[in-house]
Structures are given as C-alpha cells and as structure tokens.
Amino acid sequence: MKSLPVVRPQGVRYERDSTFSYACHACGRCCYHKIIHLNPYEVARLAQNRGISTTEFLSHYTAANGTAVKQQNDGACIFLTSQGCGVHSDRPLVCRLYPLGRQVTAEAEEWFSETAPHPESEGEYSTDGTVEEFLTTQGAQPFIEAVDRYVELVGQMSHVLLTKTIHDAKAQQHVEELIEGFVQGQDQEISVMLDMDQIVGRFCADQGVPIPSNVNEKMDLHIQVVEEWLHNE
Ligand code: SF4
C-alpha cells in the first residue's frame, strides 16, 4: 500500500527550545529543484571539500553568478550522487536546517519554522528532541554564525554603495542596479568581493603574509579586508 504524503504544520514559530526532531534517511528527494543559496563561508567549505580554490569552485559549481549551487539537467543538486549528498560534511546551511527554515529580524531576533517536505520524503519526524539539539546534530552553528556575519557585511556594502552617490541621480540609479544585480546574482563587480580566496590571496600577497589554511581564519580576514575597503570608499 502506498504511504500517505507527509503533511506538516506550516507557519508555526519554533524557538531553539521548542520540541522538534527529524531524522534524514538520505532518500535524496529533497535535493531536486531547490535553489541552494551560498555565502562565501559555504563556498569556502565546499571548495575545500572539492580540493579547489573558491574562484574555481564559483566557476564550476555555481549558478546565478556564484550565489547558488548549480543543478544537474534533471533538477538534482550538482552534488547529489546515487549514495546521497556528495559533500555531506561541508553541505550548506539550508541543507543542514532542512526541514526547518530560519528567520532573523533586523533586531537579530531569531526563530524557526517548518518548510513543506517532499511529499514522499523518507525523513522521520518525532518529538524526542528540541530545535537546539537538531541544530547541534546537524553541525549548523558555525554556518549560522557565518551567514549572520555575511548578511551584515552585504548590508554594509549596500549602504556604502547607496549613500556615496546620493547626490548624483544617474550614478544613484547605476548603484541601485548594481545592488539589484548582486541580489539577483547577476553582478560581477560586487560578486568578486565575495570570492574569499581571490580577496584574501590578493591581500596576503600585498602584505607579504601567508594565506591562512583554516577556513574560519580565512573568513575573518576576508570580512576584515572587505570592511576596510568599505571604510575607504
Ligand atoms: S548539497 Fe547535498 S544535501 Fe544539499 S541539496 Fe545538494 S546534495 Fe542535497
């Protein structure tokens, strides 16, 4: 007998101490036709997983000008294999959170809610855990910290680009188009600032210092360099 489609509560707000548990059985059905957005930390983790630079990774494995994971012809994520996720230890945050989504307000208030699962997903829900425990088992916290830092950085970039040309209507329009292009994943000029290896590599060569091998240290340096660039604009 065919099993009934999975139906889950939508729009219910969960805190970290809310009851929630989910066990993925790697059926892979959730890895089709999804836009998996990427930030520079996620790109760096995936590039390290593949043994290549972030510049090479962005060119081979991403779409929308480096802001999302590429898909195969049938809509499967480029990393989906017959054995499941081919980059499991370095998978992006959205894959770690699934089937939860995370929202953060401008005041840094955080909450979670369930996303609609694939109707034939083999994942199992239960009530013997909390959201916090689920996040821990998924190794989500470093990715959450990274996304929050990069959201703030992109906000700073937008602010600087918008305010520096405020008196020039034509330039203002150009900058707004640039930001829109970046948000839509179409603008090369801003996107290059988010290529961690390229930016950190250039900085370290200029300063005559070694490039950090640790992704977290490289991220710290990347954010520092972009912030310095913003303050000098
Ligand atoms: S990165 Fe892995 S878990 Fe995420 S969609 Fe791709 S195959 Fe699925």
Side-chain angles (χ1 to χ4, degrees):
M1 193 171 73
K2 204 169 178 237
S3 57
L4 290 171
V6 182
V7 180
R8 294 291 304 173
Q10 303 292 295
V12 177
R13 179 173 164 144
Y14 295 156
E15 311 296 337
R16 283 189 180 237
D17 60 359
S18 299
T19 298
F20 178 81
S21 180
Y22 177 80
C24 169
H25 292 312
C27 67
R29 295 191 176 100
C30 314
C31 302
Y32 283 80
H33 305 294
K34 295 279 186 339
I35 297 175
I36 309 290
H37 286 295
L38 295 171
N39 63 49
Y41 176 74
E42 292 168 316
V43 168
R45 288 284 301 255
L46 289 165
Q48 182 177 258
N49 183 287
R50 300 280 95 176
I52 57 179
S53 71
T54 57
T55 311
E56 290 168 301
F57 181 88
L58 287 165
S59 125
H60 289 114
Y61 292 106
T62 66
N65 209 21
T67 60
V69 174
K70 220 181 224 179
Q71 294 181 357
Q72 302 177 41
N73 289 339
D74 60 357
C77 169
I78 191 87
F79 299 120
L80 185 62
T81 72
S82 53
Q83 280 84 45
C85 177
V87 290
H88 186 73
S89 59
D90 294 296
R91 67 199 185 284
L93 177 62
V94 69
C95 309
R96 290 169 194 268
L97 293 180
Y98 183 88
L100 291 180
R102 176 177 179 260
Q103 285 80 38
V104 183
T105 66
E107 292 74 36
E109 191 189 358
E110 172 196 71
W111 78 89
F112 300 85
S113 58
E114 292 198 32
T115 60
H118 187 284
E120 291 162 2
S121 168
E122 290 175 17
E124 274 182 77
Y125 295 85
S126 74
T127 54
D128 61 357
T130 63
V131 168
E132 183 77 62
E133 288 164 359
F134 175 69
L135 297 177
T136 301
T137 60
Q138 296 301 308
Q141 195 53 36
F143 287 80
I144 287 176
E145 288 165 17
V147 74
D148 287 349
R149 292 181 72 184
Y150 277 111
V151 164
E152 192 189 329
L153 187 69
V154 168
Q156 287 180 45
M157 290 169 83
S158 302
H159 178 74
V160 167
L161 289 168
L162 278 169
T163 52
K164 75 173 183 171
T165 53
I166 200 87
H167 301 302
D168 180 338
K170 212 168 166 188
Q172 175 78 18
Q173 191 187 346
H174 172 65
V175 169
E176 283 175 3
E177 283 168 6
L178 273 180
I179 291 169
E180 184 62 21
F182 170 70
V183 171
Q184 301 293 331
Q186 296 160 351
D187 183 71
Q188 198 67 37
E189 195 175 328
I190 298 179
S191 295
V192 79
M193 292 303 293
L194 301 176
D195 179 349
M196 193 185 286
D197 281 340
Q198 191 171 159
I199 297 302
V200 171
R202 269 195 227 157
F203 175 82
C204 291
D206 285 351
Q207 301 293 313
V209 295
I211 298 171
S213 54
N214 176 289
V215 174
N216 289 305
E217 288 173 21
K218 219 190 281 182
M219 173 175 67
D220 289 342
L221 194 50
H222 179 232
I223 290 174
Q224 178 196 318
V225 172
V226 176
E227 282 179 341
E228 280 171 15
W229 173 77
L230 290 173
H231 289 137
N232 292 332
E233 275 295 293

